Amino acid sequence: MNDAPRLPLLLGLAGSLREQSYSASVLTTLARAIEREGIAHVDIASVDLPLYNQDLDVEPRPTAVATLKQAIDQADALLIVTPEYNHGLPGVLKNALDWASRPMGASPLKGKRVQAVANSPAFTGGVRALAQLHETVLSCGCHLHAGPQVVIGGVAEKIGNGQLNHAPSVEFAVNSVRAMLAHDH
Ligand SMILES: Cc1cc2nc3c(=O)[nH]c(=O)nc-3n(C[C@H](O)[C@H](O)[C@H](O)COP(=O)(O)O)c2cc1C
């Protein structure tokens, strides 16, 4: 019999569809480190969804939407890595959160713990997108992990071969996820 405690399941979302996305590289690097340290299992979900249309938000929903909502429902917590577009949240990520946010008050996002991470090639690291992401997840009833914000500036110089090769950033983000999962909301 295996008496080992069940590892939490973390669902990762990256707010970019770009093939060589820095956000996706940050997310996969964090996912590997989190699993290596035995903090959680990590699944990564796609935000490549049709544009939100309330007329389509009925059974049966588009397959990609249903898949994302089910993955969020099954996860113990979310790790969201966002880039910044025009001082805000990229449309693809906002779109995915809009789909996941329904029905209001009873969506899979309600009560879900969230660690948000921003990154950018700029030294500002996507702080303005992070602020908007915080507002959106709070409006969905998520339990946003409070504490020092996880922002990775100058990310282009820290990525190589699809990996975040900057140990302080990895350690800071992983410790924040560890702290989030230690709090059982
Ligand atoms: C439409 C658009 C708007 C952008 N606006 C910002 C911005 O406001 N702040 C910023 O730091 N970077 C901005 N950038 C640069 C992105 O941070 C950069 O393209 C980044 O690589 C996108 O994330 P990704 O690598 O995960 O796809 C913008 C890029 C695009 C394409």
Side-chain angles (χ1 to χ4, degrees):
M1 205 172 90
N2 184 1
D3 286 335
R6 183 186 77 88
L7 276 184
L9 177 61
L10 193 63
L11 185 71
L13 302 176
S16 172
L17 304 180
R18 194 167 75 87
E19 183 87 20
Q20 304 289 326
S21 162
Y22 298 136
S23 308
S25 298
V26 168
L27 179 60
T28 52
T29 305
L30 297 182
R32 279 194 212 110
I34 288 162
E35 291 202 325
R36 198 172 47 242
E37 296 194 25
I39 298 167
H41 292 300
V42 188
D43 283 343
I44 292 179
S46 170
V47 296
D48 195 355
L49 308 178
L51 282 178
Y52 185 82
N53 177 342
Q54 203 170 347
D55 293 336
L56 301 181
D57 199 359
V58 289
E59 292 288 351
R61 288 182 179 72
T63 306
V65 170
T67 302
L68 175 65
K69 290 185 80 164
Q70 191 184 26
I72 293 173
D73 196 40
Q74 289 170 352
D76 294 295
L78 305 182
L79 171 60
I80 306 178
V81 180
T82 188
E84 179 172 279
Y85 276 6
N86 299 312
H87 294 190
L89 199 57
V92 286
L93 182 54
K94 181 63 164 57
N95 185 56
L97 293 170
D98 288 342
W99 274 114
S101 70
R102 309 303 289 178
M104 195 181 91
S107 85
L109 287 172
K110 188 172 162 54
K112 203 64 66 178
R113 284 173 282 176
V114 172
Q115 175 66 58
V117 175
N119 76 102
S120 168
F123 79 96
T124 40
V127 279
R128 294 154 296 213
L130 190 68
Q132 289 189 1
L133 177 57
H134 285 174
E135 267 194 62
T136 296
V137 296
L138 287 172
S139 83
C140 299
C142 295
H143 293 298
L144 178 65
H145 181 228
Q149 298 189 345
V150 185
V151 170
I152 306 172
V155 76
E157 287 85 53
K158 296 171 181 163
I159 299 274
N161 295 325
Q163 293 244 71
L164 176 60
N165 299 316
H166 188 252
S169 297
V170 175
E171 193 185 339
F172 191 72
V174 168
N175 283 341
S176 198
V177 169
R178 194 199 315 273
M180 168 178 72
L181 293 174
H183 284 98
D184 205 4
H185 283 280

